[in-house]
Amino acid sequence: MDLEFLQSVDVQILVGAAVAVLAIVVGAAYLFSSMKPKGCLDPENFKDFKLVKRQQLSHNVAKFTFELPTPTSVLGLPIGQHISCRGKDSQGEEVIKPYTPTTLDSDVGRFELVIKMYPQGRMSHHFREMSVGDYLAVKGPKGRFRYQPGQVRAFGMIAGGSGITPMFQVARAILENPKDATNVHLIYANVTYEDILLKEELDSLVANYPGRFNVYYVLNQVCCLSHLTCSL
């Protein structure tokens, strides 16, 4: 067998092997990039998450930041769904109540809850007593609604008081998704200006997504109209 023929065969084998290796590398990279990280939630069992920050927003509203297992962990909550939180009321009895985080899975390593604590609220008592370092028992995801990007041209929302959190979650997910061109219109009602939750965040969405997000604040008691400069 001639030397030139052997060299030709060797070159063909090397080229074929290189192509195969390249295909494996590209395929693995694509698979890795397309894989979604596994969420931390369990729909059947409560899991404990550590409170790492508590920020008082008003006399009866606070933002609670909970730590996920690793800095790159995600909660794994589908857009439009909520979690169940378990605690104890003032009598020491167990209470479970649904809440919607204001964070998305793009906020890795943590999730946040904005909680309005009512004087007679059973779960409100639990949150009022929580300190940094305490743990909250959480189960989920919960809920039947699940938003799909681009399913409608425009999304209309009506919220009141603390009911703003699920609306904020969906609105933020729509607007921050570059593949979703859906417009969002929100009517948000409260008793007084001081009762408006997430106003800074809502106004920021209006400023960052002009023409795509509009919020209309409705108050039962208007003390000073100069506060409401956004979308009025």
Side-chain angles (χ1 to χ4, degrees), residues 54-64 115 117:
R54 173 175 174 156
Q55 180 184 0
Q56 203 69 29
L57 302 181
S58 71
H59 72 284
N60 64 349
V61 178
K63 180 190 292 185
F64 297 81
I115 306 293
M117 291 162 282

Side-chain angles (χ1 to χ4, degrees), residues 1-14:
M1 201 174 281
D2 138 324
L3 184 59
E4 291 184 3
F5 175 75
L6 289 175
Q7 290 176 337
S8 175
V9 172
D10 289 343
V11 169
Q12 291 176 6
I13 293 174
L14 289 173

Side-chain angles (χ1 to χ4, degrees), residues 51 53-66 83 85 97-102 111-118 121-130 136 138 161-165 195 197-198:
L51 178 65
K53 184 179 179 181
R54 173 175 174 156
Q55 180 184 0
Q56 203 69 29
L57 302 181
S58 71
H59 72 284
N60 64 349
V61 178
K63 180 190 292 185
F64 297 81
T65 302
F66 296 91
I83 57 177
C85 299
K97 189 174 180 181
Y99 291 96
T100 304
T102 55
F111 72 94
E112 295 176 351
L113 297 173
V114 174
I115 306 293
K116 186 169 186 177
M117 291 162 282
Y118 298 92
R122 297 180 65 201
M123 194 66 191
S124 293
H125 171 80
H126 183 84
F127 278 107
R128 195 161 39 241
E129 296 297 314
M130 286 195 77
L136 178 70
V138 173
S162 57
I164 188 61
T165 53
D195 293 322
L197 302 181
L198 299 171

Side-chain angles (χ1 to χ4, degrees), residues 23-215:
I24 291 172
V25 171
V26 171
Y30 174 78
L31 182 63
F32 180 79
S33 64
S34 62
M35 286 177 61
K36 291 184 178 180
K38 184 180 179 181
C40 298
L41 290 173
D42 186 330
E44 303 298 330
N45 302 295
F46 281 97
K47 298 177 69 174
D48 291 331
F49 296 93
K50 184 179 180 181
L51 178 65
V52 294
K53 184 179 179 181
R54 173 175 174 156
Q55 180 184 0
Q56 203 69 29
L57 302 181
S58 71
H59 72 284
N60 64 349
V61 178
K63 180 190 292 185
F64 297 81
T65 302
F66 296 91
E67 183 181 61
L68 296 178
T70 73
T72 57
S73 296
V74 299
L75 188 62
L77 185 67
I79 302 305
Q81 300 201 347
H82 58 270
I83 57 177
S84 293
C85 299
R86 183 177 66 188
K88 291 187 177 181
D89 63 14
S90 59
Q91 304 301 315
E93 296 182 0
E94 182 178 284
V95 55
I96 298 174
K97 189 174 180 181
Y99 291 96
T100 304
T102 55
T103 43
L104 304 175
D105 279 352
S106 56
D107 303 303
V108 296
R110 75 185 197 282
F111 72 94
E112 295 176 351
L113 297 173
V114 174
I115 306 293
K116 186 169 186 177
M117 291 162 282
Y118 298 92
Q120 305 303 320
R122 297 180 65 201
M123 194 66 191
S124 293
H125 171 80
H126 183 84
F127 278 107
R128 195 161 39 241
E129 296 297 314
M130 286 195 77
S131 301
V132 170
D134 292 342
Y135 287 82
L136 178 70
V138 173
K139 181 169 68 173
K142 300 290 183 179
R144 296 181 180 179
F145 176 75
R146 184 178 296 195
Y147 177 76
Q148 297 296 328
Q151 67 183 41
V152 292
R153 287 181 297 177
F155 212 112
M157 302 176 172
I158 300 177
S162 57
I164 188 61
T165 53
M167 307 301 179
F168 179 77
Q169 179 214 55
V170 174
R172 190 183 155 200
I174 291 173
L175 297 168
E176 293 183 5
N177 184 352
K179 298 180 181 179
D180 195 339
T182 305
N183 294 324
V184 182
H185 304 274
L186 168 66
I187 299 174
Y188 182 26
N190 285 278
V191 177
T192 68
Y193 174 84
E194 287 71 23
D195 293 322
I196 300 175
L197 302 181
L198 299 171
K199 187 176 187 301
E200 183 178 342
E201 290 84 351
L202 291 169
D203 291 350
S204 178
L205 290 179
V206 173
N208 292 333
Y209 302 95
R212 290 197 56 211
F213 181 64
N214 295 286
V215 55

